[in-house]
Amino acid sequence: RPYVPKWLNLEDVVMSLEKWMRISIAKADPTYDAEKKYQPKNRVDFYVFRRWFKDQPDIRTSFDPAQLWEEYRGVLRGSSESNGKFLEQDLYHGLPVRRGAFEKRARQGVHQILRKFEKYVIEQRYWLDQELASRVLMLDNKDVLSNIYVDEVQDLTELQTRTLISRLPESGESFVFDLTGDISQQVYPSGFRWQDIGRMLHEIRGINIRKCEPLNVNYRSGKNLVEMANWVLNKMEEENKIIGEELQQAYAANDGA
């Protein structure tokens, strides 16, 4: 683009979280082989989970696969307590209600189902993106990043976000940590909650942040569509307690504006 200086390589500045993690591991570990470790073809994602789910007749009509996947990736494998490994049942049950997509009375059954899927993942030699986050978090050689900008942060798990926070300078030093996202638009369900960002910043860097006003005016959708979306989100909040944010307001008074 004409306004980008020739000396600036945007690929060095803007990259996917997974690419940054692979680079971080390679810099710290000379034995790391990018061609053999964490091959894309063996990466487990929602589509792999959904195929497995369809072959489970005993649970297929009782659970939403997206909700189960969110619990697997975002909580059982993507929480700080799990550190990338499958969380044991007692630790899972002890998490606050807001830290998961299921109420405590359902967690024993959910854990049994997802342990079965975890066994399948191991047998197929699949890997999950949370393993990368855990490995980066434990590296001895950690580059400090004084400016971090994350878009679509709602798709990151607690473990991935903690990995980024751990690269910020120590408390008292100047840094920029800008996150943007909308939990109503999750593509990769992760159990993300804005409250956890403040908690982790305080735990890791001793920083207290004040709550900002949410940007909840929708400028790109008509009134009818926004009202329908709010109705769905209200139902999700009533049944699953996973939204917890103010709903959208339509900028347009009608769908013809």
Side-chain angles (χ1 to χ4, degrees):
R1 296 178 182 178
Y3 53 83
V4 177
K6 292 183 178 180
W7 53 265
L8 178 61
N9 183 355
L10 287 180
E11 291 186 0
D12 293 335
V13 180
V14 182
M15 66 181 69
S16 70
L17 180 63
E18 186 171 311
K19 180 179 178 180
W20 170 75
M21 288 183 174
R22 288 176 179 274
I23 292 173
S24 297
I25 295 171
K27 288 174 65 176
D29 184 0
T31 65
Y32 171 74
D33 188 340
E35 297 298 322
K36 295 181 179 179
K37 286 282 188 179
Y38 309 116
Q39 295 183 22
K41 67 177 183 179
N42 294 330
R43 187 180 190 271
V44 61
D45 55 19
F46 175 65
Y47 302 103
V48 171
F49 178 78
R50 190 169 60 180
R51 288 197 299 270
W52 173 86
F53 180 84
K54 287 180 178 179
D55 292 331
Q56 312 300 314
D58 52 330
I59 64 171
R60 201 168 52 197
T61 59
S62 304
F63 290 92
D64 177 358
Q67 195 175 19
L68 282 175
W69 172 251
E70 174 180 1
E71 200 77 343
Y72 176 75
R73 177 177 177 264
V75 181
L76 290 170
R77 294 289 303 271
S79 63
S80 296
E81 291 81 0
S82 73
N83 199 27
K85 297 181 174 62
F86 191 78
L87 198 64
E88 292 300 323
Q89 183 171 314
D90 57 339
L91 293 175
Y92 173 50
H93 190 269
L95 293 176
V97 174
R98 283 280 184 178
R99 292 282 304 282
F102 294 91
E103 295 186 4
K104 290 200 173 188
R105 66 174 181 267
R107 286 185 179 180
Q108 183 176 352
V110 168
H111 192 273
Q112 291 173 352
I113 292 169
L114 294 177
R115 181 175 285 283
K116 186 178 178 181
F117 176 68
E118 173 71 4
K119 182 179 179 182
Y120 171 77
V121 168
I122 295 171
E123 290 173 349
Q124 298 297 316
R125 297 186 177 181
Y126 287 134
W127 63 274
L128 185 68
D129 54 1
Q130 304 312 300
E131 296 171 35
L132 279 174
S134 174
R135 186 166 177 180
V136 172
L137 194 58
M138 292 187 294
L139 291 176
D140 292 329
N141 180 19
K142 295 183 178 180
D143 293 332
V144 174
L145 303 176
S146 58
N147 292 268
I148 298 178
Y149 302 87
V150 183
D151 192 20
E152 307 293 0
V153 69
Q154 76 276 358
D155 290 331
L156 303 190
T157 64
E158 184 180 72
L159 187 62
Q160 290 173 318
T161 309
R162 181 175 286 271
T163 302
L164 289 172
I165 293 175
S166 71
R167 295 305 180 98
L168 292 172
E170 296 292 336
S171 180
E173 299 182 45
S174 177
F175 65 85
V176 175
F177 188 50
D178 277 358
L179 311 176
T180 60
D182 181 355
I183 60 172
S184 302
Q185 299 185 34
Q186 287 186 326
V187 177
Y188 308 105
S190 62
F192 176 87
R193 300 186 314 149
W194 284 109
Q195 303 95 302
D196 292 332
I197 302 296
R199 175 177 57 82
M200 287 188 285
L201 279 168
H202 180 73
E203 289 177 359
I204 301 171
R205 287 294 180 261
I207 298 169
N208 293 314
I209 60 173
R210 68 179 188 275
K211 184 177 180 180
C212 297
E213 290 297 319
L215 303 177
N216 62 350
V217 177
N218 190 318
Y219 291 91
R220 65 181 181 181
S221 300
K223 183 173 180 291
N224 292 343
L225 185 58
V226 171
E227 288 179 350
M228 173 58 74
N230 284 340
W231 182 85
V232 172
L233 293 172
N234 260 323
K235 291 296 181 183
M236 291 173 65
E237 175 66 10
E238 290 173 5
E239 296 178 11
N240 305 318
K241 305 296 182 184
I242 60 174
I243 302 300
E245 296 286 340
E246 294 185 36
L247 301 180
Q248 300 178 46
Q249 301 173 18
Y251 178 75
N254 55 64
D255 280 344

